[in-house]
Amino acid sequence: METKVEEALNLSYDDFEPFCKWTREEGHDKLEVHVQDFKMEHMSVQIEEPGVVTITGERPLDDTRRSRFRKQIRIPKDSKTDEIQANLYGDVLHVVVPRKTPALPATKSCTKTSTITASMPSNYLFGLIKSVISRLEMNTMLALPVAGVLAVVVAFVGYAYKYCHCGDAES
């Protein structure tokens, strides 16, 4: 029977970079981290250094393999670091970072939202990549007939220019 030390030595890790989306909303910022098949007990959200949130996760794949990630995100200086909350909904970890309210209340009546992608899709997001590829294939299917029509028009204009001599002055 193997001891825990021997088991730990036999472990291998599949490291990956999770897809992240940063959204800035009125009163708070929200980070969405796509972590397929992870549970909340597999992850940790911490502030290890000022202005940086570190999100780590590790889960078993089988007896000798584990999947893990480590993501560090800079947060705005006006963040309330002691009020950061993280919740897992499906395969997406939502990290809400409240912002300090300004001394004078804002007079804006509408909410402005902007989105920043923090990283490229990870290997496990093949579904998203397949979707993009299928859209490109549809665009290619549309582009081929358009290119064919364009080739016919160019050939006709070339023929007309060469053989019709339209607009030439007779000497």
Side-chain angles (χ1 to χ4, degrees), residues 63-114:
D63 290 341
T64 59
R65 289 182 36 229
R66 300 181 72 76
S67 177
R68 69 181 177 185
F69 70 91
R70 178 180 173 88
K71 187 76 181 170
Q72 291 188 308
I73 304 290
R74 282 212 177 276
I75 58 174
K77 291 180 181 177
D78 65 343
S79 299
K80 295 180 182 178
T81 56
D82 57 335
E83 295 180 22
I84 293 175
Q85 295 180 357
N87 294 301
L88 185 65
Y89 299 105
D91 287 338
V92 181
L93 178 68
H94 295 264
V95 181
V96 177
V97 183
R99 289 194 311 265
K100 297 173 185 169
T101 55
L104 298 174
T107 57
K108 292 182 180 178
S109 61
C110 65
T111 303
K112 197 173 200 180
T113 302
S114 62

Side-chain angles (χ1 to χ4, degrees), residues 39-50:
K39 295 180 181 172
M40 201 61 194
E41 59 264 18
H42 297 143
M43 294 179 285
S44 170
V45 179
Q46 299 176 337
I47 298 176
E48 293 180 350
E49 58 184 82

